[in-house]
Amino acid sequence: MKSLLLVLVIVGSISSVVPGTIPAGVLKQACEDFPNGTDTAVRWWNCNNADVVQVSAMKVENSNGQEEYPVDVDQLVILDLTQTNSGPQIDKTLADAAIWQWNTGPLGCRWGTIPTLGLTNNMDGCKDGGCPIKAGSGNMKLTLDLSEFQPIINLMPTGKPYQLRMKVKDASNKKEVACVYLQMKITKG
């Protein structure tokens, strides 16, 4: 019964998507089908320059280590990151994710929130290879298995732009240490 309720809430919300809370300027996109060149490549940026961990480079790869676009959400997704941690080593992390879908229509263009009903809050940030985050500069490969989010993914049409915000927190004090936005087109299978 809980699963049916989750599906009904998500379906209803996707069909009547409302603007999400996103950084200033992101809503002011030209009204195009794929904002920021997301028809050809992943776009990403740090959310908060005050965070102790800043990402300086990112590649999205498939399980064979090859860069892949659009991103196949039915397969393992590998984020190959170069980052700098200006603070002490962070041993354990939690992650919160928010998702938006790009919508075009008579009211203009906007990012509309896809509700996750808390399923993407306080996720174990170490599960996918993200721990520890050592002090200084370094590389990290995160292997994301999105299969546990299949009820949400199944309702997301392919060939559309999506925006993902990942906030990473130090699990010991729940303080945000990193935040990254990604914009991408997805495919399945």
Side-chain angles (χ1 to χ4, degrees):
M1 185 64 174
K2 279 176 128 177
S3 296
L4 178 60
L5 180 60
L6 172 66
V7 168
L8 291 175
V9 169
I10 292 173
V11 168
S13 298
I14 288 176
S15 63
S16 61
V17 176
V18 296
T21 304
I22 56 178
V26 175
L27 282 177
K28 298 176 185 170
Q29 304 286 343
C31 198
E32 50 193 46
D33 290 339
F34 292 93
N36 301 324
T38 52
D39 55 331
T40 60
V42 172
R43 303 296 182 213
W44 67 271
W45 65 93
N46 291 293
C47 316
N48 185 349
N49 290 334
D51 285 339
V52 296
V53 178
Q54 295 291 308
V55 175
S56 57
M58 179 186 306
K59 291 188 290 185
V60 179
E61 301 173 344
N62 61 25
S63 60
N64 296 323
Q66 300 166 326
E67 285 192 67
E68 180 174 73
Y69 198 78
V71 177
D72 187 345
V73 293
D74 284 341
Q75 305 298 322
L76 292 177
V77 176
I78 298 169
L79 298 180
D80 186 354
L81 307 172
T82 301
Q83 85 284 331
T84 300
N85 176 1
S86 60
Q89 177 170 301
I90 303 162
D91 292 316
K92 185 164 175 48
T93 61
L94 298 172
D96 296 335
I99 308 168
W100 293 269
Q101 178 181 329
W102 183 247
N103 296 291
T104 59
L107 299 175
C109 299
R110 64 178 187 239
W111 289 104
T113 303
I114 295 177
T116 61
L117 306 175
L119 295 174
T120 60
N121 292 343
N122 291 313
M123 298 178 291
D124 181 349
C126 299
K127 181 178 86 171
D128 300 315
C131 293
I133 302 175
K134 296 180 180 179
S137 296
N139 288 22
M140 179 182 296
K141 282 198 177 203
L142 304 176
T143 302
L144 308 177
D145 179 355
L146 305 175
S147 62
E148 68 184 283
F149 306 108
Q150 210 60 50
I152 297 168
I153 291 170
N154 287 343
L155 299 171
M156 297 168 63
T158 60
K160 290 197 154 265
Y162 291 92
Q163 178 169 273
L164 173 70
R165 181 189 65 215
M166 289 294 295
K167 286 186 177 183
V168 179
K169 304 175 286 191
D170 184 330
S172 68
N173 60 17
K174 308 292 191 277
K175 182 179 176 188
E176 181 179 311
V177 295
C179 180
V180 175
Y181 276 97
L182 292 100
Q183 292 178 345
M184 71 198 90
K185 181 169 59 171
I186 66 167
T187 187
K188 299 176 188 176

